[in-house]
Amino acid sequence: MTDDPLVEVHGLRTLFFERSWWFDRLLGREAGAVRAVDGLDLEIRRGETLGLVGESGSGKTTLGKAILRLAPVTEGEIRFDGDDVTRLRGGELRRLRRRMQMIFQDPYSSLSPRLHVSYLLTEPYRINNIPATERYTVAELLETVELSSELASKFPHELSGGQARRVGIARALALRPEFLVADEPTAGLDVSAGAKILNLMHDLQKRLGLTYLVITHNLSVVDYIADRLAVMYLGKLFEVGPTDRVLDAPAHPYTHALLASVSEPDPRLRHGRDRSLPPGEIPSPRNPPPGCRFHTRCSYGEARSRTEVPALEEIEPGHFVACHFWQKVRVAEAGAAPAGEARG
């Protein structure tokens, strides 16, 4: 990993509009807009794994797809290796997309059930008109993800969950990308199969020089694989920093809540843990709260929280937090933790 950014996101907004949005715009309002990503800045360094966590509805998957231009970009700028992705069209965009691929959450829905594995793995070559001299063979792709070449003649429904996930990874690697967005890479897998997928991804990163954005709700996944961690809520980033620092000394109450909800197998460490998320439901992205978007569920919020949006500020080298009262949060949470307690 280097400090050289491969992906740079500035002021990104992705809004999805309902059918009535033209009428709303005529009246000068955006009531019909779903603010999936709403004014977000992010940097992903070359060769690193950045973990992106948050509850369902936080906008994590939309952010990943927007970076790859698989979701619309309403405003803002996305740069990949210096190129402004938002300005590219046609052949230029197709050529750049060869360098950026996605590992989808559900491999069965992303792989056509009517096609053999061999066809699915070579389809990217036909779509992008890749000459034969620049292609991996099917056997090479399967070997890359530690699968037997005998699976080439199988249909997706004949594969186990772990095998289907590996085929999805192999398909994403076919075009020799530099950057992969992995959406819930262990979802639906048991602990053993999930660990093997993470080990495979780590090995591929070392061998192929890959950069990852790993989207997950599972903090154990990012703890294991991510170099840095970003916490997202209602289209905004609340905390970004080195994974070990964010998990050991979080400064945002939402990050604390996510950590507190993690199941702790060691009964000696359960004392004082509230293994539940903050009270109430995550607000609708159609009508997010003013000020700090977390203030409706936060026990630290004050009047300022309801009117003033907190800036993402650097509180220590490389560790950024968007909270008006992060010092108070750290003091209170540190005092509440039992002595010697480790993170879950």
Side-chain angles (χ1 to χ4, degrees):
M1 182 181 67
T2 70
D3 290 332
D4 177 31
L6 180 64
V7 178
E8 299 171 274
V9 176
H10 302 289
L12 180 64
R13 299 182 80 204
T14 292
L15 275 60
F16 296 101
F17 297 98
E18 298 175 338
R19 291 183 178 180
S20 63
W21 81 278
W22 279 110
F23 182 70
D24 293 326
R25 295 271 296 215
L26 186 64
L27 297 179
R29 65 192 187 197
E30 291 184 342
V34 176
R35 302 166 185 253
V37 181
D38 200 6
L40 186 145
D41 298 323
L42 183 66
E43 178 181 286
I44 305 175
R45 301 164 186 166
R46 194 182 302 272
E48 83 165 334
T49 297
L50 177 69
L52 182 63
V53 301
E55 291 173 274
S56 296
S58 294
K60 307 184 300 297
T61 298
T62 301
L63 172 59
K65 288 183 175 180
I67 291 174
L68 302 183
R69 289 289 303 277
L70 298 176
V73 175
T74 308
E75 292 180 16
E77 180 182 80
I78 302 168
R79 289 192 171 273
F80 180 83
D81 202 14
D83 293 322
D84 187 351
V85 178
T86 58
R87 296 180 180 275
L88 299 181
R89 299 291 185 275
E92 288 184 329
L93 180 58
R94 283 194 298 272
R95 283 190 292 273
L96 186 63
R97 275 182 172 162
R98 290 169 54 179
R99 304 171 62 189
M100 307 184 297
Q101 293 291 307
M102 186 158 192
I103 302 170
F104 292 94
Q105 177 175 348
D106 183 358
Y108 294 108
S109 64
S110 62
L111 300 173
S112 174
R114 298 185 298 273
L115 301 175
H116 291 107
V117 167
S118 59
Y119 189 95
L120 293 168
L121 292 180
T122 55
E123 189 175 32
Y125 299 136
R126 290 185 289 276
I127 294 173
N128 291 276
N129 298 314
I130 306 299
T133 55
E134 298 179 18
R135 300 182 182 187
Y136 290 114
T137 66
V138 171
E140 286 173 331
L141 285 170
L142 290 172
E143 182 183 7
T144 299
V145 295
E146 301 173 359
L147 289 177
S148 168
S149 59
E150 296 176 355
L151 293 179
S153 61
K154 301 289 186 181
F155 289 100
H157 72 269
E158 298 178 287
L159 305 176
S160 68
Q163 289 172 335
R165 190 62 52 89
R166 288 170 188 263
V167 169
I169 294 173
R171 193 174 192 272
L173 293 175
L175 296 175
R176 305 174 192 267
E178 302 163 48
F179 175 59
L180 290 176
V181 175
D183 189 8
E184 299 284 1
T186 63
L189 302 178
D190 61 35
V191 174
S192 176
K196 290 177 181 177
I197 291 295
L198 296 180
N199 287 333
L200 173 65
M201 291 176 60
H202 183 67
D203 180 60
L204 291 171
Q205 183 175 46
K206 291 191 295 183
R207 285 195 282 132
L208 304 177
L210 298 171
T211 301
Y212 290 127
L213 173 62
V214 175
I215 300 168
T216 182
H217 69 280
N218 189 335
L219 288 170
S220 297
V221 169
V222 293
D223 190 12
Y224 183 77
I225 197 172
D227 302 297
R228 289 193 303 136
L229 175 59
V231 180
M232 191 171 180
Y233 184 84
L234 274 183
K236 298 279 191 181
L237 288 182
F238 276 2
E239 190 159 3
V240 182
T243 300
D244 56 353
R245 190 59 183 158
V246 173
L247 295 182
D248 285 334
H252 198 286
Y254 182 57
T255 311
H256 275 287
L258 292 177
L259 283 168
S261 68
V262 175
S263 177
E264 173 53 65
D266 189 340
R268 296 172 301 173
L269 302 180
R270 292 177 186 167
H271 176 70
R273 282 183 179 268
D274 176 14
R275 286 179 294 280
S276 61
L277 288 168
E281 297 291 331
I282 184 171
S284 170
R286 287 182 175 84
N287 187 28
C292 174
R293 295 191 172 182
F294 190 59
H295 83 259
T296 58
R297 305 170 73 191
C298 182
S299 60
Y300 295 91
E302 299 178 7
R304 180 185 179 188
S305 305
R306 296 190 289 272
T307 58
E308 185 178 337
V309 178
L312 194 66
E313 62 174 311
E314 189 171 22
I315 62 171
E316 56 193 13
H319 191 172
F320 298 82
V321 175
C323 180
H324 297 306
F325 311 109
W326 66 266
Q327 297 100 327
K328 182 170 68 173
V329 172
R330 268 200 167 168
V331 169
E333 295 294 340
E341 179 170 340
R343 68 170 183 262

